[in-house]
Amino acid sequence: MTMSAGKYNIKAVSKKLGIQPGTLRAWERRYNIISPIRNEAGHRLYSEEHMSILKWLVQKTTQGFTISQAVELLENGNDSSDTDSMGTDMVQDRAQILADEILEALLAFDENKAQDLLNQAFSVFSIDKVVHDILAKLLVRVGDLWENNKITIAHEHFTTAFLRSRIGMIFHTLPVDGYLPKVMAVCSTGEYHELGLLIFTLYLRRKGFEVIYLGSSIPEEDIEIVLEDTDPKILFLSCTLMTNLPRCLGLIDRLDQRFSELTIGVGGSAIAHLRDEKRQAYEPFLVGNNKEEWDAWIKDKIQKLTT
């Protein structure tokens, strides 16, 4: 059993954290902070990540915060377990140190140490902060090291496989808001670097979107078939290699013309190299490069879809 699998029943959680089962159920129902796995009998099972989040919330409530205030702190990323005594710079330093140690463990092929360090990160920071300030930055660093021939393909594959596995585990624990439009996410044809898209997909799931995640290098005709079969309202494409950019832009043009009700967004490192004329032409499709830009794009498109 992996560290992220459901392993604690509600009685064990109650005993470990000193929280009544009824209170725990109320927190889940009111705030959608976690979504425990259910076993075959329908009983709740909590993962290590769930335990880390609940432990953090309990600590905050014992410090005098209400549960709603604690949840707000968690969602806004003001998430250090000792926020009152640590400044923002110290929090960032702590995140950076953990990121460095995780990368060092992965490049040494020490999966157990990397797992322990990542679990430590989840016990200190919110899911959003771990994903955006640790995992996402790790991906960029690994990519840079590989492109500059400072690590082998074996190092890159091992590291990305580990990160893909952990991100996927988090993905499947998050609840879905049925009132939000259905989303599809896929790498542009010829693209095999999917972790950036996977992180963006995790961001969407944190917001409650149901996401059909297709992953890397799906043929264009297959993308169109899935669009017809599932009828998502939003499609996100990822393009990281400049050699694939013209084909990706051509796909956007064709899909935008064929599926008139479909909203399309595109991101990835290749998109950042669009020249002025191209950038202006494709501006409505550009999702952005960080959480703030993603938030703004999503808000604008959701407003248009619901009015």
Side-chain angles (χ1 to χ4, degrees):
M1 178 180 291
T2 66
M3 289 296 288
S4 293
K7 57 188 294 187
Y8 302 105
N9 61 28
I10 197 166
K11 183 177 180 181
V13 175
S14 175
K15 184 176 180 180
K16 281 178 171 289
L17 300 183
I19 178 175
Q20 292 298 315
T23 301
L24 180 54
R25 295 189 191 98
W27 287 7
E28 294 171 18
R29 185 173 60 254
R30 294 175 188 171
Y31 302 105
N32 293 319
I33 46 176
I34 59 172
S35 181
I37 301 162
R38 300 275 183 165
N39 62 16
E40 293 181 357
H43 298 141
R44 288 172 168 83
L45 290 178
Y46 298 81
S47 68
E48 292 290 347
E49 279 83 2
H50 293 149
M51 291 291 287
S52 296
I53 292 169
L54 292 170
K55 180 180 179 181
W56 189 91
L57 291 170
V58 169
Q59 288 175 342
K60 285 299 175 190
T61 58
T62 58
Q63 291 172 8
F65 292 90
T66 66
I67 181 57
S68 61
Q69 289 171 334
V71 170
E72 184 177 0
L73 288 173
L74 186 68
E75 295 295 338
N76 290 337
N78 191 0
D79 43 18
S80 171
S81 60
D82 49 356
T83 303
D84 296 335
S85 60
M86 291 178 64
T88 301
D89 291 342
M90 292 181 68
V91 171
Q92 286 301 116
D93 287 346
R94 191 169 182 181
Q96 184 63 56
I97 290 169
L98 280 170
D100 292 341
E101 291 178 344
I102 292 169
L103 180 59
E104 181 180 352
L106 290 172
L107 295 182
F109 301 99
D110 190 341
E111 183 174 358
N112 289 332
K113 184 176 181 180
Q115 291 278 19
D116 289 342
L117 288 166
L118 193 50
N119 288 335
Q120 182 181 343
F122 278 113
S123 72
V124 176
F125 303 113
S126 71
I127 290 178
D128 285 345
K129 189 170 186 65
V130 173
V131 169
H132 295 291
D133 287 1
I134 295 180
L135 297 184
K137 291 181 179 180
L138 277 177
L139 294 178
V140 173
R141 291 171 65 186
V142 169
D144 289 343
L145 289 170
W146 180 70
E147 289 180 4
N148 291 302
N149 297 315
K150 294 183 178 180
I151 60 173
T152 67
I153 293 177
H155 288 95
E156 192 269 344
H157 283 186
F158 180 82
T159 301
T160 54
F162 172 85
L163 296 175
R164 184 188 299 111
S165 175
R166 286 305 299 262
I167 292 169
M169 290 173 183
I170 301 167
F171 183 93
H172 293 292
T173 66
L174 299 174
V176 170
D177 184 345
Y179 290 99
L180 291 173
K182 186 188 299 182
V183 170
M184 192 169 99
V186 61
C187 294
S188 184
T189 302
E191 289 284 325
Y192 293 92
H193 297 280
E194 64 174 300
L195 288 180
L197 180 65
L198 190 57
I199 283 180
F200 180 72
T201 302
L202 184 57
Y203 156 83
L204 293 171
R205 279 298 300 270
R206 284 285 289 158
K207 286 189 165 295
F209 287 91
E210 176 188 357
V211 184
I212 302 168
Y213 180 75
L214 300 186
S216 62
S217 193
I218 304 297
E220 293 180 4
E221 58 270 23
D222 289 358
I223 293 174
E224 296 187 38
I225 290 172
V226 177
L227 285 171
E228 290 178 342
D229 290 344
T230 60
D231 191 29
K233 300 303 179 185
I234 306 176
L235 168 69
F236 289 105
L237 294 167
S238 173
C239 185
T240 60
L241 299 178
M242 287 297 296
T243 54
N244 293 326
L245 185 56
R247 189 171 184 177
C248 178
L249 298 179
L251 177 61
I252 291 172
D253 291 337
R254 189 167 66 255
L255 294 179
D256 187 47
Q257 184 174 12
R258 179 176 176 184
F259 299 93
S260 59
E261 300 298 318
L262 180 67
T263 297
I264 301 174
V266 62
S269 56
I271 303 300
H273 293 90
L274 279 175
R275 295 183 177 179
D276 292 342
E277 290 184 4
K278 283 284 188 180
R279 176 167 292 277
Q280 185 175 1
Y282 289 93
E283 188 67 34
F285 304 103
L286 306 185
V287 176
N289 300 313
N290 55 58
K291 186 175 180 294
E292 290 71 26
E293 292 177 348
W294 297 348
D295 285 341
W297 194 93
I298 289 289
K299 182 179 179 181
D300 176 65
K301 300 305 180 184
I302 293 299
Q303 287 178 341
K304 292 179 180 178
L305 285 171
T306 55
T307 55

